[in-house]
Amino acid sequence: MTAARALPDNIARLQWNNQLKSGALCVFFVAGMAVFALTLFLMVALPASQAPDSGLSLPQMMHDPKMQLKLLRFFLKIFFFAGGMTLYFIYRDIKNIGVIFSARPLTLHSSDTFYRAVENMCISRGIKMPALYVFNHTVIPPQTVTAAVAQGVGGVSALIVTEGALKLAPPLQEALAAQAVQRLYTKDTYFLTMYCFLGHFPFHAARSANVIAKYLFWLPLRAAELVLAIARPMILNLRLQRLDAGALELTKDAAPLDALAAQLPAMDTLENYFYAPYLSLFIAKPQAAA
């Protein structure tokens, strides 16, 4: 009984530590955008300094305060351009989550087990009900049991499940709902959605660029990718190892969560069906259990 009473405090501490770590890693991803901006800045500034009658020179750049201020402003414009692109990607993809994941709106009602579980848990946590979708069977095998949770600014969120998840026994459906709702409640998924875009900023930028822009931005995107690739495995491992603990507060029973974990796919399995940037949004098998 003592251990049971101490459990919520332990869960709260784990969740708070996760949010701090995820937030710190998001700062690292902002550094990746800074590398992109710096590389693009140097691609423009260095050739310009060598051009005759350009009014620029390396000594002037290094020692003239007025010139340094102009260059700093130019760099900041590029940096905020990169940040604006990232915010646009987040807004666009959350708004079009069904298109991005090849999913269709899920039509459920309060009489359906999964809908009722998600609705009740959202009410208990005082959060908005996420938009519900189901993956098309052509994207991922319908018998696969998993879900993706995305969360954006302003409380906009989405929960996408597989057909296999909707065929689980009611206790396991409730366990899956608890996994999703807890991520939304603690805003861990908000950080992971930011990670999805900040951590894979080069992917989203290259994917949205036209042919000319892809060649123009190839070097800056490549430089940013080299920096960001260092931290991505760390945050993905953190997400798999720790973020599931808070669901115990909602289910009050570890057995359905353990049974659900046994049916979840490993992350390397999901890589066969989805782009790497989106994998952190999925409810997947913890690494230790894979």
Side-chain angles (χ1 to χ4, degrees):
M1 295 297 294
T2 303
R5 287 195 298 270
L7 186 59
D9 291 335
N10 183 51
I11 291 172
R13 185 172 65 253
L14 286 174
Q15 296 293 339
W16 175 244
N17 289 339
N18 291 337
Q19 291 182 53
L20 291 178
K21 292 174 183 177
S22 297
L25 286 171
C26 280
V27 173
F28 182 84
F29 299 136
V30 173
M33 289 195 299
V35 171
F36 168 85
L38 179 61
T39 307
L40 187 58
F41 167 78
L42 293 175
M43 286 175 59
V44 176
L46 291 180
S49 69
Q50 302 301 315
D53 301 325
S54 66
L56 294 174
S57 65
L58 286 177
Q60 187 181 17
M61 291 180 184
M62 296 176 63
H63 302 293
D64 187 345
K66 291 184 178 180
M67 181 59 64
Q68 291 172 354
L69 182 60
K70 289 181 179 180
L71 294 174
L72 177 61
R73 288 175 177 171
F74 179 56
F75 168 77
L76 290 176
K77 287 180 180 179
I78 297 176
F79 178 78
F80 285 113
F81 164 74
M85 288 173 60
T86 301
L87 292 176
Y88 166 72
F89 297 145
I90 294 173
Y91 169 79
R92 181 199 63 185
D93 284 6
I94 291 290
K95 187 177 180 181
N96 300 303
I97 197 78
V99 176
I100 296 299
F101 282 99
S102 297
R104 62 187 185 277
L106 181 58
T107 305
L108 292 177
H109 306 283
S110 296
S111 58
D112 295 294
T113 301
F114 186 71
Y115 184 96
R116 186 170 62 251
V118 175
E119 183 181 46
N120 290 340
M121 290 177 184
C122 284
I123 291 173
S124 71
R125 291 304 196 195
I127 61 176
K128 295 180 181 178
M129 181 82 172
L132 298 180
Y133 296 85
V134 60
F135 291 106
N136 293 327
H137 68 274
T138 55
V139 176
I140 184 171
Q143 68 272 18
T144 305
V145 176
T146 188
V149 191
Q151 188 173 19
V153 178
V156 178
S157 59
L159 170 58
I160 315 170
V161 298
T162 57
E163 294 178 359
L166 298 175
K167 296 178 181 178
L168 292 171
L172 272 66
Q173 288 191 34
E174 292 176 1
L176 184 64
Q179 295 261 8
V181 172
Q182 184 65 16
R183 284 164 170 74
L184 295 173
Y185 171 68
T186 59
K187 292 185 170 55
D188 287 316
T189 296
Y190 175 72
F191 283 115
L192 291 168
T193 304
M194 293 294 290
Y195 155 74
C196 172
F197 291 90
L198 293 177
H200 292 269
F201 163 73
F203 167 85
H204 293 285
R207 189 173 177 222
S208 298
N210 57 38
V211 176
I212 296 176
K214 285 182 180 179
Y215 283 104
L216 178 63
F217 294 147
W218 182 86
L219 183 59
L221 290 173
R222 181 60 180 163
E225 173 65 21
L226 292 174
V227 172
L228 295 172
I230 298 172
R232 283 201 293 253
M234 291 189 294
I235 194 169
L236 192 56
N237 290 340
L238 171 69
R239 175 246 186 274
L240 289 174
Q241 293 168 359
R242 295 280 188 163
L243 295 183
D244 299 339
L248 284 169
E249 285 187 314
L250 291 168
T251 63
K252 308 298 183 184
D253 186 0
L257 288 168
D258 291 339
L260 175 66
Q263 297 196 38
L264 293 173
M267 194 57 70
D268 56 358
T269 300
L270 293 175
E271 284 183 303
N272 297 322
Y273 310 114
F274 300 99
Y275 286 120
Y278 300 112
L279 294 181
S280 63
L281 303 180
F282 280 83
I283 297 173
K285 186 172 294 184
Q287 210 172 40

